[in-house]
Amino acid sequence: MQLRSVRARQVLLDGQLVPAEITIAGGRIAAVTRLSGPDRDPQVPAAGPGTLVLPPAVVVLPGNVDTHVHINEPGRSTWEGFASATTAAALGGVTSVLDMPLNSIPATVDVPSLRIKQAAARGKLRVDTGFWGGVVPGNTARLRPRWESGVFGFKCFLLPSGVDEFPPLDAAGLREAMREVAGFGGLVIVHAEDARTIAAAPARPSPAYADFLLSRPEVAELAAIRDLLDPTRQTGARTPILHLSSARALDLIAAAKAEGLPLTVETCPHYLCFDAAAIPDGAPEFKCCPPIRDAGNREALWQGLAEGLIDCVVSDHSPSTVQEKYRGAPDLQQAWGGISGLQVGFTAVASQARGRGIGLEQVSRWMSAAPAEFAGLAAKGAIAAGRDADLVFYDPSGPVTVSAAQLAHRNPLSAYDGMQLEGAVVGTVLRGMVLPGGGTPAGVAPGHGRFLTGPGQVPAGGMAAAAAGGRC
């Protein structure tokens, strides 16, 4: 269904929930009209063709933007694929995703591998999708060509990534990449755990989550973040820190931001929702790197978000097959590290925020506006004239119990299985098109999603600026 307008009593405009009508033309928001007086009730005047009038309890938010998703296709499409991942995104209120350069085969380390990935995605997308490139040893000369081919930036690891085709950078390689990328205004996004600290940590075979936690200590994150500051200072490269799990790093981050260093920091729903002490032993669905830490740390991360030290919340959706998650069972050290949360991340954070007295206005800022701004997606992240008509319809009533078997993820294994949430996504709109589904993965048709291209994209016709919002 292609919409011409949406009316609701609660529409997020400029940080406030107000009665409004959103007018849509050509997939974009043509106008937003605040309703007042008799028109404050969206049922007045009567709705015409192509107008959707929402029930009073339903909140209209901008589509969520998830800049940290491992889709894994091609090469490991039994773990996840473009069709399943973008279906999960649509059902979870995520209208734009950026795919990480691993764990697909080939990894996105040059322009040919980017084209292979785009070819694998074509015709399968339920939501708009863009791509990160990768920085690995020896590919510095291949960074600018990928930037001009439309990637949003370049991810690197400072320790083994878990897959052989994506090796880590040493300190000299990181500095070289940051200097190169700073020259064209790109991004180097960093998995910030220190290799030497991890290598020295105890890592004995064990099913106990507490033992796994000891193998990925907080000091590894602090050491890596501290080591990032000098090259950031010297090169001027924008340096986003990925999936912050340790709140002990917040003082370091606060000082760096006060200095004016161009740091952006993300955290993930699983760090905001779970507590290490409550994770059962022998449950690899909770294993991720860096790991989920204690309840006090979780609350400090919420505080870091409230204070603006952490900028955004994204999923780090990193699924695998059940066999990979239970590899070496019951030894958690051998299990694949990654949490499947793309479909439920927004509702989980919204539910947890509600219990802390934090409104949907702020959650949307963390999960839509902030990641869109960080990635340079100018047409995403807000309900405003000229933006893409990407919308989420959210009903805050509940409860809803998550069932991993009913998620659209390719493999039915998730840390959120059995979690009770308050509220649910009841509709998603992508560029004015209502994505069918009603909670049923099979109902979300493929093909409406488009490729997103980064700010460095050089159009085929020459050096003219790419289209606003990065669509191609």
Side-chain angles (χ1 to χ4, degrees):
M1 176 182 178
Q2 186 71 44
L3 294 176
R4 295 176 60 186
S5 66
V6 176
R7 293 184 197 155
R9 290 184 183 174
Q10 300 184 79
V11 179
L12 182 61
L13 301 179
D14 300 323
Q16 295 182 312
L17 294 175
V18 298
E21 179 173 14
I22 303 163
T23 304
I24 299 167
R28 293 200 174 228
I29 297 172
V32 181
T33 304
R34 295 190 182 217
L35 303 178
S36 60
D39 289 340
R40 188 177 181 87
D41 184 346
Q43 300 285 349
V44 181
T51 294
L52 184 63
V53 179
L54 294 172
V58 174
V59 180
V60 183
L61 304 169
N64 292 301
V65 177
D66 195 334
T67 56
H68 196 146
V69 180
H70 294 268
I71 294 179
N72 303 330
E73 187 176 1
R76 291 189 174 94
S77 55
T78 55
W79 296 21
E80 192 70 281
F82 287 102
S84 56
T86 58
T87 299
L91 292 170
V94 177
T95 52
S96 300
V97 299
L98 297 188
D99 175 46
M100 284 291 164
L102 72 162
N103 304 303
S104 58
I105 302 173
T108 315
V109 295
D110 52 25
V111 173
S113 60
L114 171 64
R115 297 304 182 220
I116 290 170
K117 181 166 282 196
Q118 289 172 328
R122 194 162 284 114
K124 299 177 183 177
L125 302 179
R126 270 79 167 179
V127 301
D128 289 352
T129 302
F131 304 92
W132 294 104
V135 188
V136 296
N139 81 336
T140 303
R142 287 175 278 173
L143 298 178
R144 183 184 288 271
R146 267 176 298 154
W147 178 249
E148 294 176 350
S149 296
V151 301
F152 283 80
F154 306 93
K155 181 177 184 177
C156 69
F157 277 75
L158 306 180
L159 76 172
S161 68
V163 292
D164 292 340
E165 64 273 7
F166 204 91
L169 296 179
D170 60 17
L174 174 65
R175 193 178 302 268
E176 178 184 66
M178 292 175 71
R179 186 177 297 111
E180 172 71 9
V181 170
F184 52 78
L187 291 168
V188 177
I189 62 175
V190 183
H191 181 119
E193 287 184 286
D194 179 65
R196 289 168 297 181
T197 305
I198 297 291
R204 68 185 186 90
S206 171
Y209 187 82
D211 287 334
F212 169 65
L213 197 58
L214 290 174
S215 73
R216 312 292 292 213
E218 291 183 87
V219 290
E221 286 189 82
L222 270 66
I225 292 170
R226 191 176 293 112
D227 287 347
L228 280 173
L229 299 184
D230 272 346
T232 300
R233 193 177 288 118
Q234 292 164 10
T235 66
R238 293 183 293 156
T239 311
I241 296 169
L242 304 181
H243 44 50
L244 182 73
S245 82
S246 174
R248 288 179 58 187
L250 290 174
D251 287 344
L252 191 60
I253 290 165
K257 288 193 170 191
E259 183 185 337
L261 295 183
L263 292 184
T264 304
V265 182
E266 69 175 41
T267 193
C268 304
H270 40 274
Y271 301 131
L272 300 172
C273 294
F274 298 115
D275 163 18
I279 294 175
D281 292 342
E285 58 268 33
F286 291 92
K287 179 183 175 180
C288 57
C289 300
I292 296 162
R293 304 193 189 276
D294 61 73
N297 180 85
R298 179 188 61 196
E299 299 311 310
L301 290 176
W302 279 101
Q303 187 62 34
L305 280 163
E307 294 175 359
L309 298 176
I310 303 172
D311 300 280
C312 55
V313 181
V314 293
S315 69
D316 189 12
H317 178 68
S318 185
S320 73
T321 62
V322 173
Q323 290 76 16
E324 283 295 315
K325 283 303 276 183
Y326 280 90
R327 182 179 57 194
D331 178 19
L332 288 180
Q333 290 294 338
Q334 297 185 53
W336 177 259
I339 286 181
S340 295
L342 179 57
Q343 185 171 332
V344 297
F346 168 70
T347 49
V349 172
S351 182
Q352 291 286 316
R354 183 178 180 179
R356 292 169 172 80
I358 301 169
L360 285 170
E361 305 92 329
Q362 186 59 69
V363 174
S364 181
R365 169 69 193 167
W366 294 330
M367 301 190 77
S368 179
E373 290 170 10
F374 148 65
L377 289 167
K380 308 293 187 181
I383 298 173
R387 303 284 185 117
D388 284 350
D390 295 354
L391 306 171
V392 176
F393 305 149
Y394 178 78
D395 185 345
S397 62
V400 174
T401 301
V402 177
S403 168
Q406 294 178 7
L407 299 177
H409 306 160
R410 181 150 293 175
N411 291 279
L413 189 70
S414 175
Y416 297 92
D417 187 40
M419 188 175 187
Q420 185 167 293
L421 306 177
E422 295 291 329
V425 171
V426 293
T428 303
V429 175
L430 178 63
R431 287 177 281 101
M433 178 70 74
V434 178
L435 299 181
T440 304
V444 182
H448 189 57
R450 296 180 180 174
F451 288 151
L452 297 165
T453 54
Q457 166 86 13
V458 177
M463 295 299 292
R471 290 208 309 266
C472 70

